[in-house]
Amino acid sequence: MIILAACIIAVLFIFTTFISIQVKAQEREVTQIYKEIDEMRIEIKRVKIEASTLTNPLEVLDYIQENGMKSVKVKDLINIEIDKDKVN
């Protein structure tokens, strides 16, 4: 009886150890996915700002204030030239 109980306890210990390792691996994967999602959100905000600069600079300032972003100095801006023939 004691041997059987010891074997059952050993199997349960090994089983829970493997489950714990799998949970930690999945936690790392989820953390990595959240980091990627945050990077994508930042990229989307950047693209929205770039798109809005083509329409109205005042909208950029409103967007920056609404989303709690930092303003950019005028000397740090880069002019972008768009050729209509190359867009399509």
Side-chain angles (χ1 to χ4, degrees):
M1 210 48 182
I2 293 174
I3 295 172
L4 180 63
C7 289
I8 291 173
I9 290 172
V11 169
L12 287 175
F13 176 76
I14 293 170
F15 183 69
T16 55
T17 303
F18 283 121
I19 289 176
S20 176
I21 291 171
Q22 289 177 352
V23 167
K24 288 181 182 180
Q26 289 177 350
E27 180 182 9
R28 285 187 211 113
E29 290 176 10
V30 168
T31 304
Q32 181 64 30
I33 290 171
Y34 278 130
K35 286 180 183 178
E36 291 174 5
I37 290 172
D38 287 338
E39 290 173 1
M40 287 179 191
R41 285 182 182 160
I42 291 170
E43 181 67 19
I44 289 171
K45 286 182 180 181
R46 185 187 66 76
V47 169
K48 284 182 178 180
I49 289 175
E50 287 178 2
S52 65
T53 57
L54 299 174
T55 57
N56 186 355
L58 293 176
E59 292 178 8
V60 175
L61 296 175
D62 292 339
Y63 183 83
I64 288 172
Q65 289 175 350
E66 289 173 3
N67 292 302
M69 303 174 111
K70 295 181 180 179
S71 59
V72 179
K73 294 181 181 180
V74 175
K75 68 178 183 177
D76 295 335
L77 294 177
I78 299 172
N79 291 332
I80 301 173
E81 294 182 18
I82 299 176
D83 189 7
K84 290 183 180 181
D85 297 332
K86 293 182 181 180
V87 173
N88 295 331

Coordinates of all heavy atoms in Angstrom, one line a residue:
M1 N 0.8 -1.2 0.0 CA 0.0 0.0 0.0 C 0.9 1.3 0.0 O 0.5 2.2 -0.7 CB -0.9 -0.1 1.3 CG -2.2 0.5 1.2 SD -3.2 0.1 -0.2 CE -4.5 1.1 0.2
I2 N 1.9 1.2 0.8 CA 2.8 2.4 0.9 C 3.5 2.6 -0.4 O 3.7 3.8 -0.8 CB 3.8 2.2 2.1 CG1 3.1 2.2 3.4 CG2 4.9 3.3 2.1 CD1 3.9 1.9 4.6
I3 N 4.0 1.6 -1.0 CA 4.7 1.7 -2.3 C 3.7 2.3 -3.4 O 4.1 3.1 -4.2 CB 5.2 0.3 -2.8 CG1 6.3 -0.1 -1.8 CG2 5.8 0.4 -4.2 CD1 6.8 -1.5 -2.0
L4 N 2.5 1.8 -3.4 CA 1.5 2.3 -4.3 C 1.2 3.8 -4.1 O 1.2 4.6 -5.0 CB 0.2 1.5 -4.2 CG -0.9 1.9 -5.2 CD1 -0.5 1.7 -6.6 CD2 -2.2 1.2 -4.9
A5 N 1.1 4.2 -2.8 CA 0.9 5.6 -2.5 C 2.1 6.4 -2.9 O 1.9 7.6 -3.4 CB 0.6 5.7 -1.0
A6 N 3.3 5.9 -2.7 CA 4.5 6.7 -3.0 C 4.6 6.9 -4.6 O 4.9 7.9 -5.0 CB 5.7 6.0 -2.5
C7 N 4.2 5.8 -5.3 CA 4.2 5.9 -6.8 C 3.2 6.9 -7.2 O 3.4 7.7 -8.2 CB 3.9 4.5 -7.4 SG 5.3 3.4 -7.2
I8 N 2.0 6.9 -6.7 CA 0.9 7.9 -7.0 C 1.4 9.3 -6.7 O 1.2 10.2 -7.6 CB -0.4 7.6 -6.3 CG1 -1.0 6.2 -6.9 CG2 -1.4 8.7 -6.5 CD1 -2.2 5.7 -6.1
I9 N 2.0 9.5 -5.6 CA 2.5 10.9 -5.2 C 3.6 11.3 -6.2 O 3.7 12.4 -6.6 CB 3.0 10.9 -3.7 CG1 1.8 10.7 -2.8 CG2 3.8 12.2 -3.5 CD1 2.2 10.6 -1.3
A10 N 4.5 10.4 -6.6 CA 5.6 10.7 -7.5 C 5.0 11.1 -8.9 O 5.4 12.0 -9.5 CB 6.5 9.5 -7.6
V11 N 4.0 10.3 -9.3 CA 3.4 10.6 -10.6 C 2.7 12.0 -10.6 O 2.8 12.8 -11.5 CB 2.4 9.5 -11.0 CG1 1.5 9.9 -12.2 CG2 3.2 8.2 -11.3
L12 N 2.0 12.2 -9.5 CA 1.3 13.5 -9.3 C 2.3 14.7 -9.3 O 2.1 15.7 -9.9 CB 0.4 13.6 -8.1 CG -0.9 12.7 -8.1 CD1 -1.5 12.8 -6.8 CD2 -1.8 13.3 -9.2
F13 N 3.4 14.5 -8.6 CA 4.4 15.5 -8.6 C 5.0 15.8 -10.0 O 5.2 16.9 -10.4 CB 5.6 15.1 -7.6 CG 6.7 16.1 -7.6 CD1 6.6 17.3 -6.9 CD2 7.9 15.8 -8.2 CE1 7.6 18.2 -6.8 CE2 8.9 16.7 -8.2 CZ 8.8 17.9 -7.5
I14 N 5.3 14.7 -10.7 CA 5.9 14.9 -12.0 C 4.9 15.6 -12.9 O 5.2 16.5 -13.7 CB 6.4 13.5 -12.6 CG1 7.6 13.0 -11.8 CG2 6.7 13.6 -14.1 CD1 8.0 11.6 -12.1
F15 N 3.6 15.1 -12.9 CA 2.5 15.7 -13.7 C 2.4 17.2 -13.4 O 2.3 18.0 -14.3 CB 1.2 14.9 -13.4 CG 0.1 15.4 -14.2 CD1 0.0 15.1 -15.6 CD2 -1.0 16.1 -13.6 CE1 -1.0 15.5 -16.4 CE2 -2.1 16.5 -14.4 CZ -2.1 16.2 -15.8
T16 N 2.3 17.6 -12.1 CA 2.1 19.0 -11.8 C 3.4 19.8 -12.2 O 3.3 21.0 -12.6 CB 1.9 19.2 -10.3 OG1 2.9 18.6 -9.5 CG2 0.5 18.6 -9.9
T17 N 4.6 19.2 -12.1 CA 5.8 19.9 -12.6 C 5.7 20.3 -14.1 O 6.0 21.4 -14.5 CB 7.0 19.1 -12.3 OG1 7.0 18.8 -10.9 CG2 8.3 19.8 -12.6
F18 N 5.3 19.3 -14.9 CA 5.2 19.5 -16.3 C 4.1 20.6 -16.6 O 4.3 21.4 -17.5 CB 4.9 18.2 -17.1 CG 6.2 17.4 -17.2 CD1 6.2 16.1 -16.7 CD2 7.3 17.9 -17.9 CE1 7.3 15.3 -16.9 CE2 8.4 17.1 -18.0 CZ 8.5 15.8 -17.5
I19 N 3.0 20.5 -15.9 CA 2.0 21.5 -16.1 C 2.5 22.9 -15.7 O 2.2 23.9 -16.5 CB 0.7 21.1 -15.3 CG1 0.0 19.9 -15.9 CG2 -0.3 22.3 -15.2 CD1 -1.2 19.4 -15.1
S20 N 3.2 23.0 -14.6 CA 3.7 24.3 -14.2 C 4.7 24.8 -15.3 O 4.7 26.0 -15.6 CB 4.5 24.1 -12.9 OG 5.1 25.3 -12.5
I21 N 5.5 24.0 -15.9 CA 6.5 24.4 -16.9 C 5.7 24.9 -18.1 O 6.0 25.9 -18.7 CB 7.4 23.3 -17.2 CG1 8.4 23.0 -16.1 CG2 8.2 23.6 -18.5 CD1 9.2 21.8 -16.2
Q22 N 4.6 24.2 -18.5 CA 3.8 24.6 -19.7 C 3.1 25.9 -19.4 O 3.1 26.8 -20.3 CB 2.8 23.5 -20.0 CG 3.4 22.3 -20.6 CD 2.4 21.2 -20.8 OE1 1.2 21.3 -20.4 NE2 2.8 20.1 -21.5
V23 N 2.6 26.1 -18.2 CA 2.0 27.4 -17.9 C 2.9 28.5 -18.0 O 2.6 29.6 -18.5 CB 1.3 27.3 -16.5 CG1 0.9 28.7 -16.0 CG2 0.1 26.3 -16.5
K24 N 4.2 28.4 -17.5 CA 5.2 29.4 -17.5 C 5.5 29.7 -19.0 O 5.7 30.9 -19.4 CB 6.4 29.0 -16.7 CG 6.2 29.1 -15.2 CD 7.4 28.7 -14.5 CE 7.2 28.7 -13.0 NZ 8.3 28.4 -12.2
A25 N 5.6 28.7 -19.8 CA 5.9 28.9 -21.2 C 4.8 29.7 -21.9 O 5.1 30.6 -22.7 CB 6.2 27.6 -21.9
Q26 N 3.6 29.3 -21.6 CA 2.4 30.0 -22.2 C 2.4 31.4 -21.7 O 2.0 32.4 -22.4 CB 1.1 29.3 -21.9 CG 1.0 28.0 -22.6 CD -0.3 27.2 -22.2 OE1 -1.0 27.6 -21.3 NE2 -0.6 26.2 -23.0
E27 N 2.8 31.7 -20.4 CA 2.8 33.0 -19.9 C 3.8 33.9 -20.7 O 3.5 35.0 -21.0 CB 3.1 33.0 -18.4 CG 3.2 34.4 -17.8 CD 3.6 34.3 -16.3 OE1 4.0 33.2 -15.8 OE2 3.5 35.4 -15.7
R28 N 5.0 33.3 -21.0 CA 6.0 34.1 -21.8 C 5.4 34.4 -23.2 O 5.6 35.5 -23.7 CB 7.2 33.2 -21.9 CG 8.1 33.2 -20.6 CD 9.4 32.5 -20.8 NE 9.8 31.9 -19.6 CZ 9.9 30.6 -19.4 NH1 9.7 29.8 -20.3 NH2 10.3 30.2 -18.2
E29 N 4.7 33.4 -23.8 CA 4.1 33.6 -25.1 C 3.1 34.8 -25.1 O 3.1 35.6 -25.9 CB 3.5 32.4 -25.6 CG 4.5 31.3 -26.0 CD 3.8 30.0 -26.4 OE1 2.6 30.0 -26.6 OE2 4.5 29.0 -26.5
V30 N 2.3 34.8 -24.0 CA 1.2 35.8 -23.9 C 1.9 37.2 -23.7 O 1.4 38.2 -24.3 CB 0.3 35.4 -22.8 CG1 -0.6 36.6 -22.4 CG2 -0.6 34.2 -23.1
T31 N 2.9 37.2 -22.9 CA 3.6 38.5 -22.7 C 4.2 39.0 -24.0 O 4.1 40.2 -24.3 CB 4.7 38.3 -21.6 OG1 4.1 37.8 -20.4 CG2 5.4 39.6 -21.3
Q32 N 4.8 38.1 -24.7 CA 5.4 38.5 -26.0 C 4.3 39.0 -27.0 O 4.5 40.0 -27.7 CB 6.1 37.3 -26.7 CG 6.8 37.6 -28.0 CD 7.9 38.7 -27.8 OE1 8.5 38.8 -26.8 NE2 8.1 39.4 -28.9
I33 N 3.2 38.3 -27.0 CA 2.0 38.8 -27.9 C 1.6 40.1 -27.4 O 1.3 41.0 -28.3 CB 0.9 37.7 -27.8 CG1 1.4 36.4 -28.5 CG2 -0.4 38.3 -28.4 CD1 0.4 35.3 -28.4
Y34 N 1.5 40.4 -26.1 CA 1.0 41.7 -25.7 C 2.0 42.8 -26.1 O 1.7 43.9 -26.4 CB 0.9 41.7 -24.1 CG -0.5 41.2 -23.7 CD1 -0.6 40.3 -22.7 CD2 -1.7 41.6 -24.2 CE1 -1.8 39.8 -22.2 CE2 -2.9 41.2 -23.8 CZ -2.9 40.2 -22.8 OH -4.1 39.7 -22.4
K35 N 3.3 42.5 -26.0 CA 4.4 43.4 -26.5 C 4.2 43.7 -27.9 O 4.3 44.9 -28.4 CB 5.8 42.9 -26.2 CG 6.2 42.9 -24.7 CD 7.6 42.4 -24.5 CE 7.9 42.3 -23.1 NZ 9.3 41.7 -22.9
E36 N 3.9 42.7 -28.7 CA 3.7 42.9 -30.2 C 2.5 43.8 -30.4 O 2.5 44.6 -31.3 CB 3.6 41.6 -30.9 CG 4.9 40.8 -30.9 CD 4.7 39.4 -31.5 OE1 3.6 39.1 -32.0 OE2 5.7 38.6 -31.5
I37 N 1.4 43.5 -29.7 CA 0.2 44.3 -29.8 C 0.5 45.8 -29.5 O 0.0 46.7 -30.2 CB -0.9 43.7 -28.9 CG1 -1.4 42.4 -29.5 CG2 -2.1 44.7 -28.8 CD1 -2.4 41.7 -28.6
D38 N 1.2 46.0 -28.4 CA 1.6 47.4 -28.0 C 2.4 48.1 -29.1 O 2.2 49.2 -29.5 CB 2.3 47.5 -26.7 CG 1.4 47.2 -25.5 OD1 0.2 47.4 -25.7 OD2 1.9 46.8 -24.5
E39 N 3.3 47.3 -29.7 CA 4.1 47.9 -30.8 C 3.2 48.2 -32.0 O 3.4 49.2 -32.7 CB 5.2 46.9 -31.2 CG 6.3 46.8 -30.2 CD 7.3 45.7 -30.5 OE1 7.2 45.0 -31.6 OE2 8.2 45.4 -29.7
M40 N 2.3 47.3 -32.3 CA 1.3 47.6 -33.4 C 0.5 48.8 -33.1 O 0.2 49.6 -34.0 CB 0.5 46.4 -33.7 CG 1.2 45.2 -34.3 SD 0.0 43.9 -34.5 CE 1.1 42.5 -34.9
R41 N 0.1 49.0 -31.9 CA -0.7 50.2 -31.5 C 0.1 51.5 -31.7 O -0.4 52.5 -32.3 CB -1.2 50.1 -30.1 CG -2.3 49.1 -29.9 CD -2.8 49.1 -28.5 NE -3.8 48.1 -28.3 CZ -4.2 47.6 -27.1 NH1 -3.5 48.0 -26.0 NH2 -5.1 46.7 -27.0
I42 N 1.3 51.4 -31.3 CA 2.2 52.6 -31.5 C 2.4 52.9 -33.0 O 2.4 54.0 -33.4 CB 3.6 52.4 -30.8 CG1 3.4 52.4 -29.3 CG2 4.6 53.4 -31.2 CD1 4.6 51.9 -28.5
E43 N 2.6 51.8 -33.8 CA 2.7 52.0 -35.2 C 1.5 52.6 -35.9 O 1.5 53.4 -36.7 CB 3.1 50.6 -35.9 CG 3.3 50.7 -37.4 CD 4.5 51.5 -37.8 OE1 5.4 51.7 -37.0 OE2 4.6 51.9 -39.0
I44 N 0.3 52.1 -35.4 CA -1.0 52.6 -35.9 C -1.1 54.1 -35.6 O -1.5 54.9 -36.5 CB -2.2 51.8 -35.4 CG1 -2.2 50.4 -36.0 CG2 -3.5 52.5 -35.6 CD1 -3.2 49.5 -35.4
K45 N -0.7 54.5 -34.4 CA -0.8 55.9 -34.0 C 0.1 56.7 -34.9 O -0.2 57.8 -35.3 CB -0.4 56.1 -32.5 CG -1.5 55.7 -31.6 CD -1.1 56.0 -30.2 CE -2.2 55.5 -29.2 NZ -1.8 55.8 -27.8
R46 N 1.3 56.2 -35.1 CA 2.3 56.9 -36.0 C 1.8 57.1 -37.4 O 1.8 58.2 -38.0 CB 3.6 56.1 -36.0 CG 4.7 56.9 -36.8 CD 5.9 56.0 -37.0 NE 5.7 54.9 -37.8 CZ 5.6 54.9 -39.1 NH1 5.7 56.1 -39.8 NH2 5.4 53.8 -39.8
V47 N 1.1 56.0 -37.9 CA 0.6 56.1 -39.3 C -0.6 57.1 -39.3 O -0.7 57.9 -40.3 CB 0.1 54.7 -39.8 CG1 -0.7 54.8 -41.0 CG2 1.4 53.8 -40.0
K48 N -1.4 57.1 -38.3 CA -2.5 58.1 -38.2 C -2.0 59.5 -38.2 O -2.5 60.4 -38.9 CB -3.4 57.9 -37.0 CG -4.3 56.7 -37.1 CD -5.2 56.5 -35.9 CE -6.1 55.4 -36.0 NZ -7.0 55.3 -34.8
I49 N -0.9 59.8 -37.5 CA -0.3 61.1 -37.4 C 0.2 61.5 -38.8 O 0.0 62.6 -39.3 CB 0.8 61.2 -36.3 CG1 0.1 61.1 -35.0 CG2 1.6 62.5 -36.5 CD1 1.1 61.1 -33.8
E50 N 0.9 60.5 -39.4 CA 1.5 60.8 -40.7 C 0.4 61.1 -41.7 O 0.5 62.0 -42.6 CB 2.3 59.7 -41.2 CG 3.7 59.5 -40.5 CD 4.5 58.4 -41.0 OE1 4.0 57.7 -41.9 OE2 5.6 58.2 -40.5
A51 N -0.7 60.4 -41.7 CA -1.8 60.6 -42.6 C -2.5 61.9 -42.3 O -2.9 62.6 -43.3 CB -2.8 59.5 -42.5
S52 N -2.6 62.3 -41.1 CA -3.3 63.5 -40.7 C -2.4 64.7 -41.1 O -3.0 65.8 -41.4 CB -3.7 63.6 -39.3 OG -2.5 63.6 -38.5
T53 N -1.1 64.6 -41.2 CA -0.3 65.7 -41.5 C -0.5 66.1 -43.0 O -0.2 67.2 -43.4 CB 1.2 65.4 -41.3 OG1 1.6 64.3 -42.0 CG2 1.5 65.3 -39.9
L54 N -1.0 65.1 -43.8 CA -1.2 65.4 -45.2 C -2.5 66.2 -45.4 O -2.7 66.8 -46.4 CB -1.3 64.1 -46.0 CG 0.0 63.3 -46.0 CD1 -0.2 62.0 -46.7 CD2 1.1 64.0 -46.7
T55 N -3.4 66.2 -44.4 CA -4.6 66.9 -44.5 C -4.6 68.3 -43.8 O -4.8 69.3 -44.4 CB -5.8 66.0 -43.9 OG1 -5.5 65.7 -42.5 CG2 -6.0 64.8 -44.7
N56 N -4.4 68.3 -42.5 CA -4.5 69.5 -41.7 C -3.5 69.4 -40.5 O -3.7 68.6 -39.6 CB -5.9 69.7 -41.3 CG -6.1 71.1 -40.6 OD1 -5.2 71.8 -40.4 ND2 -7.3 71.4 -40.3
P57 N -2.6 70.3 -40.4 CA -1.6 70.3 -39.3 C -2.3 70.5 -37.9 O -1.9 70.1 -36.9 CB -0.7 71.4 -39.6 CG -0.8 71.7 -41.0 CD -2.2 71.3 -41.4
L58 N -3.5 71.3 -37.9 CA -4.2 71.5 -36.6 C -4.7 70.2 -36.1 O -4.8 70.0 -34.9 CB -5.3 72.5 -36.8 CG -4.8 73.9 -37.1 CD1 -5.9 74.9 -37.4 CD2 -3.9 74.5 -36.0
E59 N -5.1 69.3 -37.0 CA -5.7 68.0 -36.6 C -4.6 67.2 -35.9 O -4.8 66.4 -35.0 CB -6.2 67.2 -37.7 CG -7.5 67.8 -38.3 CD -8.0 67.1 -39.5 OE1 -7.5 66.0 -39.8 OE2 -8.9 67.6 -40.2
V60 N -3.4 67.4 -36.3 CA -2.2 66.7 -35.7 C -2.1 67.1 -34.2 O -1.9 66.3 -33.3 CB -0.9 66.9 -36.4 CG1 0.3 66.3 -35.7 CG2 -1.0 66.4 -37.9
L61 N -2.1 68.4 -34.0 CA -2.0 68.9 -32.6 C -3.2 68.4 -31.7 O -2.9 68.0 -30.6 CB -2.0 70.4 -32.6 CG -0.8 71.0 -33.3 CD1 -0.9 72.6 -33.4 CD2 0.5 70.6 -32.7
D62 N -4.4 68.4 -32.3 CA -5.5 67.9 -31.5 C -5.3 66.4 -31.2 O -5.6 65.9 -30.1 CB -6.8 68.1 -32.3 CG -7.2 69.5 -32.4 OD1 -6.7 70.3 -31.6 OD2 -8.0 69.9 -33.3
Y63 N -4.9 65.6 -32.2 CA -4.7 64.2 -32.0 C -3.6 63.9 -31.0 O -3.7 63.1 -30.1 CB -4.3 63.5 -33.3 CG -4.1 62.0 -33.3 CD1 -5.2 61.2 -33.3 CD2 -2.8 61.5 -33.1 CE1 -5.0 59.8 -33.3 CE2 -2.7 60.1 -33.0 CZ -3.8 59.3 -33.1 OH -3.6 57.9 -33.0
I64 N -2.5 64.7 -31.0 CA -1.4 64.6 -30.0 C -1.9 64.9 -28.6 O -1.6 64.1 -27.7 CB -0.3 65.5 -30.4 CG1 0.4 64.9 -31.6 CG2 0.7 65.6 -29.3 CD1 1.5 65.8 -32.2
Q65 N -2.7 65.9 -28.5 CA -3.3 66.2 -27.1 C -4.3 65.2 -26.6 O -4.3 64.9 -25.5 CB -3.9 67.6 -27.2 CG -2.9 68.7 -27.3 CD -3.5 70.1 -27.5 OE1 -4.7 70.2 -27.7 NE2 -2.7 71.1 -27.5
E66 N -5.1 64.7 -27.5 CA -6.1 63.7 -27.1 C -5.5 62.4 -26.7 O -6.0 61.8 -25.7 CB -7.1 63.4 -28.3 CG -8.0 64.5 -28.6 CD -8.8 64.2 -29.9 OE1 -8.6 63.1 -30.5 OE2 -9.6 65.1 -30.3
N67 N -4.4 62.0 -27.3 CA -3.7 60.7 -27.0 C -2.5 60.9 -26.0 O -1.8 59.9 -25.8 CB -3.3 60.0 -28.2 CG -4.5 59.6 -29.1 OD1 -5.3 58.9 -28.6 ND2 -4.6 60.1 -30.3
G68 N -2.3 62.1 -25.5 CA -1.3 62.3 -24.5 C 0.1 62.1 -25.1 O 1.0 61.6 -24.4
M69 N 0.3 62.4 -26.3 CA 1.6 62.3 -27.0 C 2.4 63.6 -26.8 O 1.8 64.6 -26.5 CB 1.4 61.9 -28.4 CG 0.6 60.6 -28.6 SD 0.3 60.3 -30.3 CE 1.3 58.9 -30.5
K70 N 3.7 63.5 -27.1 CA 4.5 64.7 -27.0 C 4.5 65.4 -28.4 O 4.4 64.8 -29.4 CB 6.0 64.2 -26.7 CG 6.1 63.6 -25.4 CD 7.6 63.3 -25.1 CE 7.8 62.7 -23.7 NZ 9.2 62.3 -23.5
S71 N 4.6 66.7 -28.3 CA 4.7 67.5 -29.5 C 6.1 67.4 -30.1 O 7.1 67.1 -29.4 CB 4.3 68.9 -29.2 OG 5.1 69.5 -28.3
V72 N 6.2 67.7 -31.3 CA 7.5 67.6 -32.0 C 7.9 69.0 -32.4 O 7.1 69.8 -32.9 CB 7.4 66.7 -33.3 CG1 8.7 66.6 -34.1 CG2 6.9 65.3 -32.9
K73 N 9.2 69.3 -32.3 CA 9.7 70.6 -32.7 C 9.7 70.7 -34.2 O 9.9 69.8 -34.9 CB 11.1 70.8 -32.2 CG 11.2 70.9 -30.7 CD 12.6 71.1 -30.2 CE 12.7 71.1 -28.7 NZ 14.0 71.3 -28.2
V74 N 9.4 71.9 -34.7 CA 9.3 72.2 -36.1 C 10.7 71.9 -36.8 O 10.7 71.3 -37.9 CB 8.9 73.6 -36.4 CG1 8.9 73.9 -37.9 CG2 7.6 73.9 -35.8
K75 N 11.8 72.1 -36.2 CA 13.1 71.9 -36.8 C 13.3 70.4 -37.0 O 14.2 70.0 -37.8 CB 14.2 72.5 -36.0 CG 14.4 71.9 -34.7 CD 15.6 72.6 -34.0 CE 15.9 71.9 -32.6 NZ 17.0 72.4 -32.0
D76 N 12.6 69.5 -36.2 CA 12.8 68.1 -36.4 C 11.9 67.4 -37.4 O 12.0 66.2 -37.7 CB 12.5 67.4 -35.0 CG 13.5 67.8 -34.0 OD1 14.6 68.2 -34.3 OD2 13.2 67.7 -32.8
L77 N 11.0 68.2 -38.1 CA 10.1 67.7 -39.1 C 10.9 67.4 -40.4 O 11.8 68.1 -40.7 CB 9.0 68.6 -39.3 CG 8.0 68.8 -38.2 CD1 7.0 69.9 -38.5 CD2 7.3 67.5 -37.8
I78 N 10.4 66.4 -41.1 CA 11.0 66.1 -42.4 C 9.9 66.3 -43.5 O 8.8 65.8 -43.3 CB 11.5 64.6 -42.4 CG1 12.6 64.4 -41.4 CG2 12.0 64.3 -43.8 CD1 13.0 63.0 -41.2
N79 N 10.3 67.0 -44.5 CA 9.3 67.2 -45.6 C 9.3 65.9 -46.5 O 10.3 65.3 -46.8 CB 9.8 68.3 -46.5 CG 9.6 69.6 -45.8 OD1 8.8 69.8 -44.9 ND2 10.4 70.6 -46.2
I80 N 8.1 65.5 -46.8 CA 7.9 64.3 -47.7 C 7.2 64.8 -49.0 O 6.2 65.4 -49.0 CB 6.9 63.3 -47.0 CG1 7.5 62.9 -45.6 CG2 6.7 62.1 -47.8 CD1 6.6 62.1 -44.8
E81 N 7.9 64.3 -50.1 CA 7.3 64.7 -51.4 C 6.6 63.4 -51.9 O 7.2 62.3 -51.9 CB 8.4 65.1 -52.3 CG 9.1 66.4 -51.9 CD 10.2 66.8 -52.9 OE1 10.2 66.3 -54.0 OE2 11.0 67.6 -52.5
I82 N 5.4 63.6 -52.4 CA 4.6 62.5 -53.0 C 4.3 62.8 -54.4 O 3.8 63.8 -54.8 CB 3.3 62.3 -52.2 CG1 3.6 62.0 -50.7 CG2 2.5 61.2 -52.8 CD1 2.4 61.9 -49.9
D83 N 4.7 61.8 -55.2 CA 4.4 62.0 -56.7 C 3.2 61.2 -57.0 O 3.1 59.9 -56.7 CB 5.7 61.4 -57.5 CG 5.5 61.7 -58.9 OD1 4.6 62.4 -59.3 OD2 6.4 61.2 -59.7
K84 N 2.2 61.8 -57.5 CA 0.9 61.1 -57.8 C 1.1 59.9 -58.7 O 0.3 58.9 -58.6 CB -0.1 62.1 -58.3 CG -0.6 63.1 -57.3 CD -1.7 63.9 -57.9 CE -2.2 65.0 -56.9 NZ -3.2 65.8 -57.5
D85 N 2.0 60.0 -59.6 CA 2.2 58.9 -60.6 C 2.8 57.6 -59.9 O 2.5 56.5 -60.3 CB 3.2 59.3 -61.7 CG 2.6 60.4 -62.5 OD1 1.4 60.5 -62.6 OD2 3.4 61.2 -63.1
K86 N 3.5 57.8 -58.8 CA 4.2 56.7 -58.1 C 3.3 56.1 -57.0 O 3.5 55.0 -56.6 CB 5.5 57.1 -57.5 CG 6.5 57.5 -58.5 CD 7.8 57.8 -57.9 CE 8.9 58.2 -58.9 NZ 10.1 58.6 -58.3
V87 N 2.2 56.8 -56.6 CA 1.3 56.3 -55.6 C 0.5 55.2 -56.0 O 0.4 54.2 -55.4 CB 0.4 57.5 -55.1 CG1 -0.6 56.9 -54.1 CG2 1.2 58.6 -54.4
N88 N 0.0 55.2 -57.2 CA -0.9 54.1 -57.7 C 0.0 53.2 -58.4 O 0.2 52.2 -58.6 CB -1.9 54.7 -58.7 CG -2.9 55.6 -58.0 OD1 -3.1 55.4 -56.8 ND2 -3.5 56.5 -58.7

